[in-house]
Amino acid sequence: MTDALSHALGKPARESKFWNAHIETMPRAQLDALQLQRLQKLVRYAYERSPFYRRKFDSVGLKPADIRSLEDFKHKVPLTDKSEFIDQQLDAPPYGPTAALPDDFIVHHCETSGSTGKPLAIPYSMYDTVRYGESWACGYWALGIRPSDTFYFAFGWGNFAGFWSAYWGARRLGCRVISGGGLDTKGHVQAIMRMRPTVLISTPTFALRMAAVAAEMGVDVAASSIKFTYHAGEPGPTALPAMRRQIEQAWDARAGELLGIAEVDAFAPSCPNGDGVHVNELDNFTWSIDPQTLQEVGDGEIGENVITSFSNTAQPLLNYRSHDLVRRRSGCSCGRTWVKFEGSVLGRTDFMVTVRGTNVYQTAVEHLIGQIPEVSHSYELVLTREDDNDVMTIRFEPVKALANDRAAWSALERRLSDHIHQSLHVRLKTVAVPPESLPRYELKTKRIIDQRPKDFRRALDR
């Protein structure tokens, strides 16, 4: 840290584990009281300003004054889903009747990645962009990143919302930003070596891809200026410990990640312990439900995360079904009192397949794949139907050292299948394919290849 910044921050602030110690360590009773106040104001705001919510609340006879407790909010405010907002936007583009602010207040337009089908348009006010950045700042600071660090963004600056919010976080922290927009993978490596940033922002798989390409170029990124890597967009270091080890070894840097929902908030920065993420409860209220019965599930149980953000003044999202399966825990040895999701997202309600009577989740399979060192980080999970059952086939690339050893491929197929069977008690098909044959992605890596008949796919993918 430069002398000027060191003097300006002061030693206590500089060495604090927390970006905002008051909020991040607030006792639960005080957090609950604060969230109730904010939820009550948000319900009234949405009812008065959004035609969508006025109709939705009126249809169940709900008035803002009816929300007197957190339980009232959870069980009286109707659940919402992305498909509702997409339908409204298709009927009246770009934002439909869900918007709660006039167009004059919209300063930034983004869209979801479309990984579940049609993209959702997202309007942001200036306030929204500042609040989105706050969650990133909490995560950056906990990992050890400080205002004197320099960020390198290894992606193209399109409409995808995810890494725009990461930029807002870097700006909130006061760091220097270098854009890698428009460069190919080799160009990113060359830019990093030339400009000497200390923080790499990318999807986790692209960080590994850059390290692999750098090695082909004769560049050792472990000896580069990068001290931290931070990720989003797909399961990363806190969801997949094997991936964290790979990234940290390849870059000789500390790896962190943030769990976000583009249309909601960058809502959960990684825990410094590296085993999950913490919900930014200054800006979000969350609870979990059984995705089948819609009943609330308790602490320590796996359930679907339902989220409400206080950061969306332009397009509020209340009791929003994320379709992310999480295990909630209260409290953490890191000192944060914010709710923790162990292992980040454990799976998706719409990415679960039942194979011979066993529920199989994407992230569980990815975690097991990462435990076999001879399997590279390039793989696909292909879904098909056979004899009225879902079938998952793992297509994977062996590491390059085995490129010409077909006998080793066959042995690796059996080993991976046995390893998954031992843990999940179901045998999946495994197929090795030549190294470098599967597609590469700069943003979200497409792991799920759904080849089932349309009636068996997620609604938005049909």
Side-chain angles (χ1 to χ4, degrees), residues 386-403:
E386 295 179 10
D387 300 325
D388 295 325
N389 290 300
D390 285 336
V391 175
M392 178 181 287
T393 301
I394 302 170
R395 301 176 71 241
F396 68 91
E397 295 180 10
V399 294
K400 287 186 178 180
L402 302 178

Side-chain angles (χ1 to χ4, degrees), residues 268-316:
S270 59
C271 175
N273 294 344
D275 57 352
V277 295
H278 286 278
V279 175
N280 177 357
E281 295 195 69
L282 174 63
D283 287 348
N284 300 277
F285 174 74
T286 66
W287 57 296
S288 297
I289 61 172
D290 181 307
Q292 302 301 321
T293 66
L294 305 185
Q295 298 301 305
E296 184 173 7
V297 301
D299 210 47
E301 297 182 56
I302 295 177
E304 179 186 340
N305 179 38
V306 178
I307 185 167
T308 299
S309 173
F310 310 127
S311 299
N312 298 77
T313 59
Q315 183 172 261

